[in-house]
Structure formats: C-alpha cells, structure tokens
Amino acid sequence: MTTRTIEFREALREAMSEEMREDLRVFLIGEEVAQYNGAYKVSRGMLDEFGPKRVIDTPISESGFAGMSIGAAMMGLRPIVEFMSWSFSLVAADPILNNAPKMLYMSGGQFGCPIVFRGNDGAGGQLGSTHSWCVESMFANVPGLKMAIPFTPYDAKGLLKTAIRDDDPVFFLESERLLSIEGEVPEESYTVPFGQALIRRPGTDCTIVSFGRPLYFCLEAAKTLAQEGIECEVIDGRTIKPLDIDTIVASVRKTNYCVVVDQSWSFASVGSEIASQVHQHCFDDLDNHVMRVHNDDVPAPYAYNLEQEMLPNARKICEAVRAVTYNA
Amino acid sequence: MTTSSKPDITPQSASLKAKGPSTDLLKQWLRDMLLIREFEVRTMQAYQNKKIGGFCHVYIGQEAVAVGCTAALEPNDPVVTAYRDHGHALARGMDPKYGMAEMFGRIGGCAKGKGGSMHFFDKEHHMYGGHGIVGAQTPLGAGLAFATKYEDEIINGGVSNRVTLSFLGDGALNQGSFHEAQNLAGVLDLPVIFVCENNGYSMGTAISRGTTMGHDITSKAAGYGFDSAVIEGMDVIEVYEGMKAVVDKCRETSRPAFVDMRTYRFKGHSMSDPRKYRTKEEEQQYAQDDPIDKLANELMNNRGLSRDEYDVMAKEVKKQIREATKWAEASPIPDIEELYRDVYVEKFGPYSGTSLPAMLED
C-alpha cells in the first residue's frame, strides 16, 4: 500500500470527497463549508468540485440546518452536517438528540437516519467555556446514535468513510488542536471499522484508555513513566459507541491496573462508564480500583495557565498511573 | 415573486364552489372526514377505558384541513406534522386499524407500538410523522422538501416536481425551529408549504396572549418573503381550492409558502383538558361551523345526496372503525425482543437490527 503524509484536515476532506464521488446521495452542509472553504479549511476545494447544490452554505442556524438535514436523511439522502464546533450543536439539541437517534425506533423501523454530524470537540485554545465543550459524555448517554473520535489522520479518513456509509446517525468528534497534525495515509481507498479499539503503545504494567486528542497526553505520559520503569499500554478506543470493551478488558487482565483518560467532565461521563464496565468485567483481575483523569470539574477558563491545568494533561495522567500502581 | 402580508387567496364565492370538485369527490371527502371523526370518537372512548396510554390529542373539528390538504397533493408529496396527527395519517390513506393498534401499544401498530398517538408514520403514504416536540417537525419538513428537490434534480437529473406540506399548530409559531426552518426554506428555495392549523390556542393559551401579530400570522411569513394565504379551514372545499392554488404555485416555482389555516378544535388540547380558558359560547358558536355538517348540507342541498345515502355512509364508517378497533385489540402486544429492535439499523451488541411494521408488508 502506497502512503503519503497528509494533514488531519486533508484526511477528513478526502473521506468526504471520495464518498461524494461514489454516492450522489451524500452532500456536505454547514456554516462556511462552501465559499469560505470551511471555517477550519476542512472542506477546501470541495465547492469547486461538487458545486453549490452538494456543498451547501447555511446561515448560522444550527437547529434549523440540523433538523432540515435529518428530514433529508429520513428520505434516504446521506447528509454530512458540519458543526463549526460541537459547542454550537447545543442549540440543535432537539433535532440531533430527539429526532436523529430516535427516528428509526419511533417510526417502528420505517424511517432511518443515515446522517453524520461532525466538527470540533473539546478545548480549542483559550476559547473560554462556551466554545470548549466536550460533548461526548453528554451525548453518548443517548441511545440510537454512534460516536467516533479519531486520533490520527489515518483514522480520521477511515472512520469518517465508515461514518458516511453507516445507516445510523454518527456523531463524529474532531479536535481543532489535531487538524494540522500530519500522518501517513494510504493512497488507496480504505475504511476503519467502528467498534475496534487499537493499542497505540504496548505495555505490561498499566492500561490507559482514551479517545481523540487526550491520547497525545497519554502517550507523553507513557514516555515519562517508562523512564520510571512503568510500561503503560495505551488504548485508543476510536469509537465510544459502539465501545470495544473486549480489547480494554483483555489489556486490563494482562496489566491488572487501569486509568481512563476522558476530556469531558467526570460526573456521569464516558470515563465513569468505562471504569464501571472494567470493574464489572475485571473485578478479580484488578489490583486497584480504576482511576480516572478528566477535565477538572469547572467551566473551561480563558487564561492559558488555567486552561492547561484544567485539561487531562500528561502530569495528571502520570500522577494517576503512579497512584493506581502504588508507585506514588 | 410577490411579497405580501395580506392573503392573496380570497374565500371562495358560491359560483366558484359550484364549478369546483365533482360530487363524487365531495362524497369521498365527506366519507374521509366521517372516518377521522369516528376514529377520534372511538379513540376518546378507548382512552377513557384506559386502552390508550400517554398523551392523546384528537382532531375533532379540524377534519377538513387534513382531508382538503391531502386532496390538493399528489400521492407522492411528503407530509409531516406535529402530535395531533391521526387525521393526517388517515387522510393520507393509512388504514385506521394500524393507527388504533399503535395507540393500543400493539405490534400491529403503524410503528409497532413504539411511537404511540403522537408518532404516526406511514412510509407507503409518504407520511413522515407525527412529532411530539412543538415546532420540531418544521425543519424536518424543510428537509423533506430539500430531499425531493435534491432527488429530482441531482440524482434523477430532472426538475423538482414534489411539494412538501409541513403542518404546525399556532403554538409552534413562536418556536425558534419554525423560524429557522422558514429562513432556510427561503434561502434554499425549497418547495415546502408551512400550513399553520390555527385553532386559536396553543394548549390553553389563546393566540392573542402568546403570539405577537396573532391577528395576522401571515406576517410571520411576510418577513421571509413567502407567498401566504388565509384559508377557511372549517370548509373542506375552501381548504382544497385554496391549497390547490398554493400547492400548484409551489410546485411550479419551487418557492416556499405559508398558510394561515383557520380552524377550531372542538375538544380539549389533550384528553385531560377541562377547557376553562375558553367560553361555552365560543365553543357553541364554532359547533355551528362543523366541517362535516357543512359538507353534508352542501351535498344534500345542492348535490342530490339523500339522507339515506348519508346514513349508509355514516354506518359504513362506524363499522370500519369498529372493525379496526377489534383488529387492534386482537393484535398481540410486542414481544420483549422488540425493545432492542429498531434502535440501530446495524446489528451489534444487544441490538437486533430493524424490521418493517406489518402495515408495510400486508
């Protein structure tokens, strides 16, 4: 397989463009996706290739265009809805939570909703609380949707292609902080299946589970901890729904310790859910309870130092791993 | 296009009525309205007998709207509405037994007992629900129009030739989603008609108390540059004639429109509404305006319908609904396995994929 190095945002663009070439039912809609080339340049050039009827600029009207796209999906189109930020999806809570994930059920199997909602999730960089939402815990609570959080350009492309082809609604959570990172991506078409976690770093002493951007903090922490003689196994869950608990459990059975790193807030979170499931499956394997590292339980602050401190950063992960393995 | 806050469709004159729909068609509409009325009467009884759970909103008084609007459409034009949805589903052609079974929470229901009264869906008849959150169906309606146009133009390489009716109540006029839907429909030239079934009350709040410019709600559409019409919704002929003009223009121009459909619900907002917010006099006045009586009188006075013929028709309808109710009662409750079906199309974990209701397979 021939590969080349491209940016995360280019990987996203390739996924959308390839699927739009393959399937006329697929279209991209959102604020500034067309003439502006994307607020974050993810859709650069797509207007030129596909024209304004398939790359569609909307007014700032998330509730309206999310709901409208759901109506289109009920009829069998396959919309890709870009939220400039998932923070802005909150004004569209009713359509994305009440309509998209429940349409199939409420209609007794008559109307599915093959739609992708995608955009930046998590703290961008000193954007303050309203723009720094991590929606994964809140939205993963809702049955009927799937949720993917890519970590590398390879996964960004492969998971997004899977999301677009999926017949169920997919919440696709990207990170503004990752859009410019580069990675190896094959020239050939490929997909990454949902529900298959990946071991990003093998290790024997403690399992660290995370999704998306915090995996960088995890890998950084793992490097530091290795110098202390603690070899961490870092697992990239890739999709929160469906969750590949089997890969996590297999790792914890080997290491006997587990730290979950989740960039959303701790109370009733993805992190607490994974910790609960690990306790359920690995009760006899664990040599300590599962520990969790989250955003601090405060609104995201503006000041640089405060924001860095709030994040589930490498220092906090190191502290958690040392504590859970009795090396504190 | 013209932009006006004034209705551009005036009530029908007597002579236009005479030239209007054929007698056979009018008889069909009378039967359709009687069917809805009888369905709702039975629904209320069944609710009082605790055979129906949850919230339940009947359509009695508004029958002319669903029947007249449906008559103005092509069979493959999509419709979507709010929670007072029984009339739209029946007018569109759903067999009443599937609606009744739905409310009884039976597997034979149009949504296999998973939607209930507020969530009637019928894919075969292009009925896209039945939606419980006030106003939420209006962006969906815009989306249906987006999709028909996209299919016709981009996928099939032709011209847009379908029209979507997105019904709403006057209570939805003040929801943000409705205004966002209107704006998008305007910006994207969507062939959607927002039909406001203006029965004067959002639950217990009179339109004058909750809606600015409530005396002229076409002003809501004027700001978005839509054509609009005020239609007398208690007269099925006027509904049909008025809607036909709006629908035809929408189909031709692919431009959205808005209709202030003046109607009245004879019963409460839901089954538990003592209607203290309006006077008995008002109710009695509107009762004189019963759309079924009105059409029956028209047919009897001017179109040769005999009393006997009417009685036979009413009897047939009663029988049909009685049988539908029996069928619904005989339909089994859903297997517990249904709980995990239709959550996702894909099978994974505890989820067992999806299947269509018997309604679409019968």
Side-chain angles (χ1 to χ4, degrees), chain B residues 9 12 16-21 29 68 72 231 235-246:
Chain B
I9 289 170
Q12 309 300 306
L16 186 57
K17 267 190 186 176
K19 283 188 291 182
W29 294 350
I231 297 177
D235 182 330
V236 70
I237 300 175
E238 293 201 9
V239 173
Y240 168 76
E241 303 274 9
M243 283 302 295
K244 189 78 173 69
V246 179

Side-chain angles (χ1 to χ4, degrees), chain A residues 24 61 64 110 145-146 168, chain B residues 123 150 180 339 344-346:
Chain A
L24 280 173
S61 181
Q110 295 188 68
L145 58 84
K146 297 180 177 177
D168 293 305
Chain B
K123 195 170 194 171
Y150 188 101
E180 295 194 26
L339 202 54
Y344 294 94
V345 173
E346 192 193 337

